[in-house]
């Protein structure tokens, strides 16, 4: 008697990942649609030879949407949205492998793999001159105001010029990289009256200014590692006549008279001339005709 026995496969094995915990470092400037984790590193096997269904989730709040898998049967992880180190520095993804579709009423075996993603800041921003003001909500663009200063005509200053709102200074906004910045004058000084220290940004004089006209300098801050990462700031230097004398009041004491129940903004009158408004005046011997 010949007896034919058929062994029926029972779904009694869970999918198995080669690695259940992976760590990837992803540069901030990675292109959208680039592969982050290859398919062969994430494919699961099943001793029951079932078709595997994959699903990717993130467990870190507010970090969804950046990474996705190629398809329900293809676990390759790719970049779905451009990265920004200021918004996303790390996240943790969980990849599910099931031997039945999501929502199936059949017995389903599941395996998980954890993928830790660390974002590496890239050199994406040009230098910022300080102080500067952010003009957008995510603080990715910072605009500086012009620097201003003054020198005396026909007078040589040996010290760095004092500028407003502060000295010439720029930073690398990719602060984790903090590339070295050098300074140079690239416009507005055809007579070579001024020079800027390449390392400190201090502005000094090479020779005296002989014209009363203002100088509008253009100072460039450049990253040493990449000359295409640069910014330009305006520096206005006014040439003035030297001030030899401080201003002074024409009288040390002023006496005034007011009357009861006067309306606000009414005049205060001179004590010795009640019909004449009290005026407080100052003079400066550098400007005798003013």
């Amino acid at each position: 008697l010949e007896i034919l026995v058929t062994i029926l496969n029972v779904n009694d094995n869970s999918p198995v990942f080669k690695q259940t915990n992976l760590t990837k470092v992803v540069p901030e400037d990675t292109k959208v649609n680039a592969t982050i984790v290859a398919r062969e590193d994430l494919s699961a096997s099943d001793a029951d030879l079932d078709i595997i269904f994959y699903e990717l989730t993130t467990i870190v709040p507010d970090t969804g949407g950046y990474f996705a898998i190629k398809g329900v049967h293809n676990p390759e992880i790719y970049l779905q949205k451009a990265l920004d180190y200021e918004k996303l520095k790390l996240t943790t993804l969980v990849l599910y492998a099931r031997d039945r579709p999501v929502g199936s009423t059949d017995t389903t075996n599941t395996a998980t793999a954890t993928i830790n993603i660390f974002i590496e800041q890239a050199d994406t921003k040009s230098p910022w001159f300080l102080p500067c003001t952010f003009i957008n909500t995510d603080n990715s663009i910072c605009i500086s105001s012009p620097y201003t200063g003054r020198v005396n005509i026909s007078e040589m200053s040996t010290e760095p010029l004092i500028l407003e709102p502060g000295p010439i200074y720029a930073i690398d906004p990719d602060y984790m990289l903090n590339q070295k910045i050098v300074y140079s004058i690239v416009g507005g000084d055809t007579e070579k009256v001024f020079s800027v220290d390449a390392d400190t940004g201090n502005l000094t004089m090479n020779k005296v200014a002989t014209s009363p006209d203002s100088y509008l300098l253009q100072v460039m801050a450049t990253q040493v590692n990449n000359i295409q990462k640069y910014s330009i700031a305006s520096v206005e230097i006014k040439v003035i006549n030297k001030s030899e004398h401080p201003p002074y009041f024409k009288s040390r004491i002023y006496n005034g008279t007011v009357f009861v129940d006067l309306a606000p903004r009414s005049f205060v009158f001179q004590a010795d001339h009640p019909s004449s408004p009290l005026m407080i005046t100052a003079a400066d011997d550098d400007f005798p005709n003013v």
Side-chain angles (χ1 to χ4, degrees):
L1 179 63
E2 183 177 313
I3 301 174
L4 181 64
V5 178
T6 302
I7 308 300
L8 298 178
N9 190 16
V10 176
N11 185 20
D12 56 354
N13 293 285
S14 296
V16 177
F17 284 105
K18 293 179 183 179
Q19 303 178 71
T20 58
N21 201 307
L22 296 88
T23 297
K24 291 290 182 180
V25 177
V26 181
E28 178 188 10
D29 57 354
T30 299
K31 301 297 184 183
V32 172
N33 294 323
T35 298
I36 304 302
V37 186
R39 179 175 184 170
E40 54 267 25
D41 294 332
L42 294 173
S43 294
S45 60
D46 189 337
D48 298 319
L49 303 179
D50 290 319
I51 296 174
I52 306 299
F53 299 83
Y54 297 95
E55 180 187 9
L56 185 68
T57 64
T58 179
I59 60 176
V60 179
D62 302 322
T63 62
Y66 288 95
F67 303 95
I69 56 175
K70 289 288 187 177
V72 68
H73 299 304
N74 183 353
E76 177 181 315
I77 297 177
Y78 70 97
L79 183 63
Q80 185 174 241
K81 185 171 69 173
L83 298 170
D84 184 342
Y85 186 79
E86 304 299 328
K87 298 179 181 178
L88 179 69
K89 294 178 174 61
L90 58 90
T91 188
T92 299
L93 309 175
V94 177
L95 180 64
Y96 294 89
R98 300 183 177 91
D99 55 13
R100 294 292 184 273
V102 176
S104 174
T105 58
D106 296 336
T107 301
T108 304
N109 298 307
T110 304
T112 60
T114 301
I115 303 97
N116 299 296
I117 304 288
F118 294 91
I119 310 304
E120 181 181 63
Q121 190 170 37
D123 192 5
T124 60
K125 299 183 178 70
S126 297
W128 290 347
F129 282 97
L130 298 183
C132 63
T133 303
F134 291 109
I135 62 171
N136 57 344
T137 56
D138 59 359
N139 293 348
S140 61
I141 301 175
C142 201
I143 302 299
S144 62
S145 300
Y147 296 95
T148 59
R150 61 183 185 180
V151 296
N152 294 326
I153 193 169
S154 300
E155 182 175 308
M156 182 72 177
S157 174
T158 58
E159 298 294 326
L161 302 183
I162 298 175
L163 305 176
E164 294 292 340
I168 297 172
Y169 181 62
I171 62 167
D172 180 3
D174 298 313
Y175 55 88
M176 294 298 293
L177 303 177
N178 195 26
Q179 298 290 349
K180 178 178 174 59
I181 292 173
V182 293
Y183 306 89
S184 59
I185 297 175
V186 295
D189 188 23
T190 56
E191 300 174 1
K192 305 298 181 183
V193 175
F194 304 95
S195 62
V196 64
D197 188 284
D199 295 319
T200 66
N202 285 337
L203 188 66
T204 55
M205 299 184 71
N206 297 322
K207 56 185 180 180
V208 299
T210 58
S211 170
D213 298 331
S214 296
Y215 291 86
L216 188 60
L217 310 178
Q218 291 180 307
V219 176
M220 181 170 68
T222 310
Q223 290 183 194
V224 171
N225 69 316
N226 186 353
I227 61 173
Q228 294 184 346
K229 290 288 191 302
Y230 68 90
S231 293
I232 303 291
S234 296
V235 182
E236 183 182 11
I237 303 297
K238 297 179 179 179
V239 181
I240 61 173
N241 291 319
K242 183 176 180 180
S243 179
E244 300 282 357
H245 306 90
Y248 58 90
F249 288 105
K250 292 185 176 181
S251 175
R252 295 188 55 135
I253 299 175
Y254 292 86
N255 295 310
T257 299
V258 295
F259 300 98
V260 177
D261 297 329
L262 278 178
R265 304 181 68 84
S266 296
F267 284 116
V268 175
F269 293 92
Q270 298 180 28
D272 51 351
H273 295 88
S275 62
S276 300
L278 178 64
M279 298 182 64
I280 299 175
T281 57
D284 189 331
D285 290 341
D286 291 314
F287 304 95
N289 299 322
V290 176

